Amino acid sequence: MHVTGTVPPSAPAPQEALKTSDPAEDSSGDTGRHARRFGLPVATALVMGNIIGGGIFLLPASVAPYGTVSLVAFGVLTVGAIALALVFGRLAERDPRTGGPYVYAREAFGDFAGFLAAWAYWITTWVSNAALAVAAVGYLDVLIPVNGHRWSACLAALTLQWLPALANFAGTRYVGAVQLVSTVLKFAPLLLVAVGGLFFFDPHNLGPFHAGGGSAIGAVSASAAILLFSYLGVESAAVSAGEVRNARRNVGRATVIGTTGAALVYLLGTLSVFGTVAHDRLVKSTAPFSDAVNAMFGGSWGGWAVALAALVSMTGCLNGWTLLSAQTPYAAARDGLFPAPFARRRRGVPTVGVAVTVVLASLLTVYNYTSGSAKVFEILVLLTTFTATVPYLLATAAQLFHLVSGRQELVDRARLVRDALVASVAAAFSLWLVAGAGYAAVYQGVLFLFAGVIVYAVLAARRQRTA
């Protein structure tokens, strides 16, 4: 859909959206052969592909310094992630339009809350893309030595970001195909380590239960803040609801199935890596799954195979995240809450959003490599932890708002108690993650959010002047 410089019309009210049998009809006028709607399998692959991306392949090493107490954090995180998945499923049944948390927050609390959700989620997506590219370079280094020089690693990270962007420019038909293939391929090394690693499990490799200083509860919160990055993506189907066939039914199912499947693979995979790679080596590892396979079978051939599969997985994850990074700004731009060019689509893809996102992610990647930080991945992960909790918390607050308001057309009274309990768990989980992100991440994240307030003020003034 091409949008001129004028303010685009507002999206239909929720009640109007509920009457629409096909909510995607108003989200894209692009029905060519390069644009294609997602069914349940591709929607599930989008969720699982975005959840199981770079996170699982690098995070066992990132949380190893906290000790095996991080496995407790993984368990708690899984409960919270599934609660979020259920909340997004219920919200998508009520309002199955493209935009996810943005749509839910705006419908419940107004334009400013919707803008904050869209702005924070947009920041999360392009910072996540930079973090994923950095993680992928660690596995590329197993195949082609690039980490020895800062600029070669930076160039590799930039290449890994731009290839998925080109696939997105080709249209949603190719995005879905890449996502489905990469999701299938990534399960080979994950299942090899998750299941096969249990047969090579050595308790002596686990290291201490609580390796860091401070309290065990603090260690759980701190490691959970890093691990949240591995669960970013639970909202993928909801954000792209306008591209999903029969969204009211399929978005919720894809979200719950994808999150539950990812959680099972995560828990088994992390446990197996902890039990096959010695703790002192795991702390310094840049490719823990490759190290796990090498420890299981000896030699280096297994590590090479896992590294190749990890690269395919991360490329597929970047492919899906690149699409998501443009979907929320697209929905907000159609309502006049983001600059109008973000509402332009070609072949089913908001191309301006994709282009701006990949440029910002590239600039952030270059900055982090040139700053000389040895913990580029962890810094980016903690920043996305804070920014992701903003739309998550607003979405769960919207669900609680609907439940408490008692509006019969928005609430299923037969499921009232269960929905309220799930939403409360998801809200408490989001607040807990803010606390675990740390002062530095919250400080940087707040600066990003405050910059958004200025953008909102300018856009709101333009809307008022036009009206």
Side-chain angles (χ1 to χ4, degrees):
M1 181 179 75
H2 180 76
V3 178
T4 62
T6 59
V7 177
S10 296
Q15 290 81 0
E16 295 173 355
L18 290 173
K19 297 175 184 176
T20 305
S21 60
D22 192 356
E25 290 300 323
D26 69 341
S27 65
S28 174
D30 201 346
T31 57
R33 62 189 180 91
H34 297 287
R36 181 172 296 177
R37 304 282 298 284
F38 300 150
L40 179 60
V42 175
T44 303
L46 185 66
V47 175
M48 295 193 71
N50 285 353
I51 293 177
I52 304 177
I56 185 58
F57 285 105
L58 193 61
L59 283 174
S62 298
V63 298
Y66 296 101
T68 52
V69 70
S70 56
L71 294 175
V72 177
F74 238 135
V76 176
L77 201 63
T78 298
V79 173
I82 292 177
L84 274 175
L86 292 170
V87 167
F88 281 122
R90 294 291 290 143
L91 288 168
E93 286 181 28
R94 184 181 297 118
D95 195 345
R97 287 177 290 161
T98 293
Y102 157 74
V103 171
Y104 314 141
R106 180 173 182 259
E107 190 273 332
F109 307 121
D111 286 350
F112 184 63
F115 173 82
L116 280 182
W119 182 262
Y121 190 75
W122 182 54
I123 292 170
T124 300
T125 53
W126 58 263
V127 174
S128 294
N129 281 0
L132 280 170
V134 170
V137 169
Y139 280 91
L140 178 63
D141 189 63
V142 176
L143 304 172
I144 306 172
V146 293
N147 262 340
H149 190 273
R150 182 192 309 170
W151 287 111
S152 61
C154 182
L155 180 61
L158 293 175
T159 302
L160 290 168
Q161 289 175 38
W162 278 91
L163 288 177
L166 295 177
N168 272 263
F169 286 133
T172 53
R173 175 182 182 181
Y174 300 99
V175 174
V178 171
Q179 200 65 28
L180 194 58
V181 171
S182 64
T183 300
V184 172
L185 290 177
K186 78 176 62 178
F187 272 94
L190 289 175
L191 291 177
L192 174 64
V193 175
V195 178
L198 298 177
F199 294 95
F200 296 86
F201 192 89
D202 184 354
H204 294 93
N205 289 328
L206 293 176
F209 176 73
H210 181 203
S215 66
I217 294 178
V220 170
S221 296
S223 55
I226 295 177
L227 290 169
L228 172 66
F229 182 79
S230 62
Y231 276 106
L232 292 180
V234 297
E235 73 291 337
S236 300
V239 171
S240 297
E243 279 62 59
V244 178
R245 289 194 299 269
N246 192 7
R248 297 186 192 286
R249 175 177 177 271
N250 287 336
V251 167
R253 291 189 175 191
T255 302
V256 174
I257 293 171
T259 304
T260 303
L264 181 61
V265 173
Y266 273 177
L267 291 171
L268 286 177
T270 305
L271 180 63
S272 294
V273 171
F274 272 44
T276 53
V277 181
H279 181 262
D280 57 346
R281 183 180 178 187
L282 182 60
V283 170
K284 302 175 183 178
S285 176
T286 60
F289 271 73
S290 289
D291 291 340
V293 172
N294 288 338
M296 290 162 57
F297 302 109
S300 59
W301 65 269
W304 292 339
V306 171
L308 181 60
L311 280 174
V312 172
S313 169
M314 293 178 187
T315 303
C317 189
L318 281 165
N319 175 68
W321 271 110
T322 301
L323 176 63
L324 290 188
S325 68
Q327 294 285 28
T328 297
Y330 163 77
R334 293 182 68 240
D335 295 330
L337 299 181
F338 249 65
F342 282 88
R344 295 173 184 165
R345 297 180 69 149
R346 183 171 179 266
R347 295 177 174 177
V349 174
T351 50
V352 173
V354 170
V356 173
T357 294
V358 72
V359 168
L360 288 174
S362 298
L363 292 174
L364 183 61
T365 301
V366 172
Y367 169 77
N368 278 279
Y369 273 109
T370 55
S371 66
S373 174
K375 294 289 185 179
V376 175
F377 181 76
E378 285 81 357
I379 292 171
L380 296 176
V381 162
L382 288 173
L383 177 57
T384 60
T385 296
F386 172 75
T387 55
T389 55
V390 175
Y392 287 175
L393 188 59
L394 285 170
T396 53
Q399 172 72 338
L400 288 170
F401 170 79
H402 293 311
L403 295 175
V404 176
S405 67
R407 293 169 59 186
Q408 294 184 0
E409 73 275 15
L410 297 177
V411 177
D412 184 351
R413 293 188 176 276
R415 301 171 59 176
L416 180 61
V417 174
R418 183 176 66 179
D419 285 349
L421 178 61
V422 170
S424 298
V425 171
F429 168 71
S430 299
L431 289 173
W432 174 55
L433 289 170
V434 173
Y439 293 111
V442 173
Y443 168 73
Q444 294 168 352
V446 168
L447 288 178
F448 276 115
L449 290 181
F450 280 5
V453 173
I454 304 301
V455 174
Y456 176 81
V458 173
L459 292 174
R462 292 182 60 187
R463 290 178 68 199
Q464 187 174 25
R465 185 178 61 187
T466 302

